[in-house]
Amino acid sequence: MGKRILTVDDSPSIRQLVGFVLKGAGYSVDEAPDGAAGLAKAQGSAFDLILTDQNMPNMDGMTMIKRLRASAAYARTPILILTTES
């Protein structure tokens, strides 16, 4: 099994596209529709990389990142913001 990646985006089509590409490259991918759900998934499991959108309902990407970084488990995990914002 490949490294585990969490994708967090409120757009189902973006999650599907990113997941399709990453799974095709051999990664194990979990998805969350917003920062609150992403935070809950990350706290319940270990991920090697997190890809997140910036603007989402319930909790934005920056707030989720700040909360993850406060945890020793995610202090050094790569977290990338992938957004369609200009």
Side-chain angles (χ1 to χ4, degrees), residues 2-3 5-6 8 13 16-18 20 22 24 38 40 42 46 49-50 52-53 55-56 58 65 68 77-79 82:
K3 299 235 181 220
I5 299 175
L6 175 62
V8 185
S13 60
Q16 183 179 29
L17 175 64
V18 171
F20 177 78
L22 292 172
L49 172 71
I50 298 173
T52 183
D53 189 13
N55 296 314
M56 297 175 285
N58 301 318
I65 291 170
L68 287 171
T77 301
I79 301 174
L82 177 65

Side-chain angles (χ1 to χ4, degrees), residues 7-76:
T7 63
V8 185
D9 199 303
D10 58 325
S11 168
S13 60
I14 296 294
R15 288 195 316 270
Q16 183 179 29
L17 175 64
V18 171
F20 177 78
V21 170
L22 292 172
K23 288 174 187 174
Y27 296 100
S28 174
V29 179
D30 282 34
E31 300 176 359
D34 59 51
L39 181 63
K41 280 197 175 199
Q43 289 173 332
S45 193
F47 293 96
D48 300 295
L49 172 71
I50 298 173
L51 295 173
T52 183
D53 189 13
Q54 182 174 335
N55 296 314
M56 297 175 285
N58 301 318
M59 181 186 293
D60 65 29
M62 292 304 295
T63 301
M64 182 189 72
I65 291 170
K66 287 177 186 173
R67 293 192 182 169
L68 287 171
R69 289 288 187 231
S71 162
Y74 287 102
R76 298 182 52 93

